[in-house]
């Protein structure tokens, strides 16, 4: 543990901030906030209720094409399919225009915003007519400016449902050509105090340092006094990298390995904005201020010029990697150091498990060690299989109509589905699990050893925990830290030398960190009832199978240790 902390000081590297500051474009800017504001107003007021499947959305698409035509572009439309709430739609539509580059026409910079709105929203002025307004103004000012790289102005559909299905459809077709993407979702209502930059992918991917730093430098160059440019680093980035649940279209680009970031307007009371305005009928034009468009608009203009002028920056290997960990504003861990750091955090745990196992193994001759191990392994396997059967059932539910079918995620924040746990689904899940457990108990009968050392049992489960932790570290070390670090240092201390209540407290403590993050996240992001969100995420595939399986194996561990603790059986040494 101390080693891990010492590593923080020695092994981190300095981000070459001056290089980025130098690379930022500093010529004249043309972006007019009032123009972006006016376009935002037209989309908000003339095309309200533009839900992805609706006629207003289709009319908005026609308007966008007309706007692009007026600016001299050839608008393209990309149709795609998606299942939303059990219904299949085949006419969802991305709109985009391309401006060919003079030197690298095959390499594209994408600037995107979504033009659909979430159900429950009416105008969707902030989310995300504001982003569309900024892009239309950028399309206007850049139409005659020669750029070395091609530039794509993209208006995505279905950002709010299916986890960025429109952006994904676009990425699927154009993956090979895109060198960077900036998504603008969204301008904050009221007095905007700055921009938060996000760079997390869906299930995988994270913005490489070159884009992150160039974008921050662009924002900082434009930000006036009283405007703050922020990002999550350190612990915040650890949580982001552990969960990989992005809030906007940038996540779809990153998932495909394309460098991308998203800019979100901030206010002094952002939580109130997210609770009372975002994804409600209160998200109206009257709440937006013209001045708020200046920072993201002018910074986007700056960033586009900066990316265009510095192809060498993004080709530097370490700056172009997606796996690293920015631990502070100016320092980062390389991928190797980040992995070593994660491993070091767990080393005392592995050592402790090994020592306990060795001591117990030496005593093995005196006890019925083998039959205890066999019995516990059998029970643990039975519980695990029962939980995995529940997971398998959950994957089947949308297909057979027990759970409403959505693509990947029942978007979006505040969707009623997220807040109404389906009792039938939960009962069926429990029934599937219990049925499989009962069946397995009948199929493989094995008498419980009459006398045994509880310490052997605890040591066995610590060893299982060590194996799960090791696999998790290899799969996603950030996830391992977030979900398994606390259990590592509390569950492995459950022993016969402590009272039952102390042991129970240790068991509960281990899960506390993860549950806290989960409940906090579902609350502030308005993702519904936490356990229901977990069930839906697993069912629609938002959570990767490996993460889901490791999670269930850990739950099985919790169930078995708790069962042993609560059984309060006499034991013999
Ligand atoms: Zn949005």
């Amino acid at each position: 543990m101390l080693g891990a902390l010492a590593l923080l000081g020695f092994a981190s590297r300095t981000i070459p901030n001056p290089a980025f500051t130098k690379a930022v474009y500093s010529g004249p800017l043309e972006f007019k906030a009032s123009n972006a504001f006016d376009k935002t107003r037209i989309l908000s007021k003339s095309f309200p209720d533009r839900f992805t499947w609706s006629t207003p959305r289709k009319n908005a698409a026609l308007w966008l094409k007309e706007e692009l035509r007026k600016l001299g572009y050839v608008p393209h439309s990309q149709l795609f399919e998606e299942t939303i709430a059990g219904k299949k739609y085949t006419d969802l539509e991305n709109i985009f225009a391309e401006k060919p580059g003079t030197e690298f026409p095959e390499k594209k910079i994408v600037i995107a915003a979504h033009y659909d709105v979430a159900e429950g929203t009416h105008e969707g002025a902030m989310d995300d007519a504001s982003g569309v307004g900024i892009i239309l103004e950028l399309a206007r000012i850049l139409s005659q400016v020669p750029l070395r790289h091609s530039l794509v102005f993209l208006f995505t559909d279905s950002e709010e449902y299916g986890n960025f299905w429109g952006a994904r459809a676009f990425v699927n077709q154009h993956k090979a050509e895109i060198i960077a993407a900036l998504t603008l979702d969204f301008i904050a209502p009221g007095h905007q105090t700055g921009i938060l930059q996000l760079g997390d992918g869906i299930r995988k991917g994270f913005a490489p340092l070159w884009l992150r730093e160039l974008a921050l430098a662009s924002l900082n160059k434009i930000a006036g006094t009283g405007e703050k440019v922020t990002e999550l680093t350190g612990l915040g980035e650890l949580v982001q990298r552990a969960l990989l649940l992005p809030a906007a279209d940038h996540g779809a680009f990153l998932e495909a390995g394309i460098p991308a970031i998203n800019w979100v307007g901030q206010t002094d009371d952002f939580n109130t904005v997210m609770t009372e305005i975002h994804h409600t009928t209160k998200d109206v034009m009257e709440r937006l201020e013209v001045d708020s468009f200046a920072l993201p608009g002018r910074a986007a203009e700056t960033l586009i010029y900066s990316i265009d002028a510095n192809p060498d920056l993004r080709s530097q290997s370490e700056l172009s990697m997606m796996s690293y960990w920015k631990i502070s504003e100016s320092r980062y861990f390389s991928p190797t150091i980040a992995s070593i750091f994660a491993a070091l955090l767990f080393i005392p745990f592995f050592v402790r498990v090994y020592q306990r196992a060795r001591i117990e193994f030496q005593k093995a001759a005196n006890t019925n060690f083998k039959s205890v191990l066999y019995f516990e392994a059998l029970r643990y396997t039975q519980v695990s299989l029962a939980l995995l059967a529940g997971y398998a059932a959950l994957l089947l539910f949308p297909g057979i109509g027990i759970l409403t079918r959505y693509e990947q995620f029942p978007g979006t924040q505040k969707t009623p589905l997220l807040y109404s746990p389906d009792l039938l689904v939960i009962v069926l899940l429990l029934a599937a699990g219990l049925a499989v457990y009962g069946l397995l108990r009948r199929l493989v009968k094995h008498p419980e050893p009459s006398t045994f050392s509880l310490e052997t049992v605890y040591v066995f489960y610590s060893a299982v925990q060590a194996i799960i932790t090791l696999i998790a570290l290899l799969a996603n070390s950030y996830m391992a830290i977030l979900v398994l670090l606390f259990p590592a240092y509390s569950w492995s201390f459950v022993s016969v030398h402590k009272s039952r209540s102390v042991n129970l407290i240790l068991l509960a403590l281990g899960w506390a960190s993860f549950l806290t993050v989960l409940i906090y996240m579902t609350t502030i992001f308005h993702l519904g009832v936490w356990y229901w969100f977990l069930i839906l995420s697993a069912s629609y595939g938002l959570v990767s199978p490996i993460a889901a399986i490791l999670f269930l194996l850990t739950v099985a561990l919790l169930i078995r240790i708790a069962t042993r603790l609560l059984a309060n059986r006499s034991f013999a040494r």
Side-chain angles (χ1 to χ4, degrees):
M1 206 69 116
L2 280 176
L5 291 175
L7 196 74
L8 265 176
F10 292 114
S12 64
R13 297 184 194 196
T14 308
I15 296 167
N17 299 92
F20 290 105
T21 314
K22 230 180 88 191
V24 168
Y25 169 82
S26 58
L29 295 171
E30 297 295 328
F31 186 91
K32 298 272 178 302
S34 56
N35 288 346
F37 182 84
D38 290 343
K39 297 297 177 195
T40 303
R41 179 164 49 208
I42 297 173
L43 183 57
S44 303
K45 294 289 179 196
S46 307
F47 307 96
D49 304 319
R50 47 187 191 286
F51 316 121
T52 188
W53 51 80
S54 70
T55 307
R57 197 277 301 154
K58 287 170 195 166
N59 292 336
L62 293 174
W63 174 74
L64 283 171
K65 284 189 243 184
E66 193 45 42
E67 287 295 309
L68 289 169
R69 250 183 236 116
K70 279 198 257 170
L71 295 171
Y73 296 96
V74 178
H76 299 281
S77 116
Q78 180 195 16
L79 292 175
F80 61 95
E81 301 179 348
E82 189 187 341
T83 302
I84 300 166
K87 226 182 134 188
K88 183 153 187 160
Y89 298 90
T90 54
D91 53 356
L92 308 181
E93 186 181 16
N94 291 327
I95 307 292
F96 65 100
E98 231 183 286
K99 182 176 140 10
T102 54
E103 210 172 313
F104 313 106
E106 74 293 350
K107 292 183 175 169
K108 296 169 184 172
I109 301 168
V110 174
I111 169 146
H114 67 93
Y115 72 102
D116 66 316
V117 295
E119 235 180 334
T121 309
H122 179 56
E123 286 186 21
M126 70 181 273
D127 188 12
D128 186 23
S130 65
V132 172
I134 290 177
I135 293 181
L136 281 173
E137 170 63 359
L138 288 169
R140 181 189 73 82
I141 59 171
L142 292 168
S143 68
Q144 299 307 320
V145 180
L147 289 172
R148 301 161 78 189
H149 301 81
S150 293
L151 192 55
V152 176
F153 305 99
L154 169 65
F155 306 105
T156 59
D157 188 7
S158 194
E159 189 264 359
E160 300 289 4
Y161 284 84
N163 216 23
F164 325 127
W165 217 243
R168 280 178 140 190
F170 186 82
V171 165
N172 278 339
Q173 265 188 21
H174 302 270
K175 197 182 322 198
E177 308 135 31
I178 309 169
I179 56 163
L182 167 64
T183 64
L184 297 169
D185 195 2
F186 40 69
I187 296 297
H191 180 63
Q192 184 171 279
T193 52
I195 295 287
L196 169 70
Q197 175 168 297
L198 300 171
D200 45 345
I202 311 169
R203 296 191 302 188
K204 59 181 177 182
F206 211 88
L209 277 171
W210 75 262
L211 178 60
R212 232 171 134 174
E213 299 306 320
L214 204 54
L216 285 178
S218 301
L219 282 165
N220 279 318
K221 185 164 184 73
I222 306 299
T225 41
E227 281 182 317
K228 254 173 68 188
V229 175
T230 48
E231 237 203 343
L232 298 174
T233 58
L235 268 181
E237 183 169 327
L238 181 140
V239 174
Q240 275 189 308
R241 284 183 177 271
L243 300 174
L244 291 171
L245 286 175
D249 276 340
H250 65 290
F253 290 88
L254 290 160
E255 182 189 25
I258 300 163
I261 41 160
N262 181 59
W263 289 346
V264 192
Q266 300 290 290
T267 64
D268 281 333
D269 196 0
F270 194 61
N271 278 347
T272 310
V273 169
M274 292 309 281
T275 308
E276 287 172 16
I277 300 170
H278 184 243
H279 286 190
T280 74
T281 50
K282 290 184 188 164
D283 174 9
V284 291
M285 204 54 209
E286 287 71 15
R287 290 181 192 271
L288 298 187
E289 295 178 6
V290 183
D291 291 345
S292 308
F293 289 74
L295 173 56
R298 293 170 79 79
E301 184 182 359
T302 304
L303 178 60
I304 290 166
Y305 289 140
S306 307
I307 296 174
D308 192 55
N310 293 283
D312 45 312
L313 259 187
R314 62 167 200 273
S315 61
Q316 291 179 32
S317 63
E318 200 147 282
L319 297 179
S320 70
M321 286 180 192
M322 286 199 165
S323 61
Y324 63 91
W325 180 10
K326 193 169 166 183
I327 52 168
S328 73
E329 251 175 58
S330 56
R331 304 191 75 79
Y332 71 101
F333 279 168
S334 69
T336 318
I337 297 299
S339 308
I340 293 175
F341 176 77
L344 281 177
L345 286 178
F346 284 95
I347 278 184
F349 160 69
F350 288 124
V351 170
R352 187 181 150 73
V353 172
Y354 171 75
Q355 283 172 342
R356 274 181 90 186
R358 211 184 48 181
I359 293 168
E360 208 50 32
F361 202 74
Q362 281 163 356
K363 288 183 189 159
N366 316 330
T367 59
N368 45 357
F369 185 71
K370 267 189 189 157
S371 64
V372 173
L373 282 193
Y374 180 80
F375 179 80
E376 286 305 328
L378 181 68
R379 275 287 179 278
Y380 177 69
T381 309
Q382 287 169 337
V383 174
S384 299
L385 287 175
L387 291 173
L388 292 174
Y391 177 49
L394 205 48
L395 293 177
L396 287 177
F397 283 175
I400 53 179
I402 288 173
L403 206 55
T404 315
R405 191 172 186 140
Y406 283 85
E407 305 282 0
Q408 189 147 70
F409 183 65
T412 174
Q413 291 120 305
K414 298 181 185 161
T415 301
L417 172 72
L418 296 170
Y419 288 89
S420 34
D422 187 334
L423 200 63
L424 177 69
V425 170
I426 293 166
V427 167
L428 285 175
L429 272 184
L430 288 173
L434 287 172
V436 168
Y437 183 68
L439 190 73
L440 289 171
R441 290 271 311 242
R442 276 180 148 249
L443 282 177
V444 190
K445 286 205 172 111
H446 189 80
E448 188 167 352
S450 52
T451 59
F452 60 88
S453 152
L454 254 183
E455 186 66 7
T456 307
V457 173
Y458 294 147
V459 168
F460 168 74
Y461 285 120
S462 283
V464 174
Q465 192 184 356
I467 294 166
I468 294 172
T469 305
L470 202 60
I471 300 170
L473 273 169
L474 294 172
N476 176 347
S477 56
Y478 303 98
M479 179 182 74
I481 295 173
L482 181 69
V483 183
L484 297 176
L485 191 66
F486 273 77
Y489 290 102
S490 51
W491 296 0
S492 66
F493 280 85
V494 169
S495 86
V496 286
H497 308 296
K498 296 188 181 70
S499 71
R500 189 164 69 161
S501 46
V502 169
N503 280 332
L504 281 173
I505 290 169
L506 282 171
L507 208 55
L509 265 183
W511 224 210
S513 64
F514 174 67
L515 275 186
T516 308
V517 170
L518 185 66
I519 293 170
Y520 177 73
M521 204 191 68
T522 46
T523 309
I524 66 159
F525 293 122
H526 304 278
L527 291 169
V529 182
W530 65 270
Y531 61 88
W532 185 235
F533 175 73
L534 220 53
I535 289 175
L536 292 175
S537 303
S539 180
Y540 296 128
L542 189 63
V543 173
S544 70
I546 176 83
I549 291 169
L550 289 174
F551 176 77
L552 291 173
L553 291 179
T554 308
V555 173
L557 206 59
L558 189 67
I559 292 175
R560 281 306 302 162
I561 302 174
T563 309
R564 275 304 183 206
L565 272 172
L566 294 170
N568 198 22
R569 292 178 60 99
S570 58
F571 58 88
R573 281 251 52 144

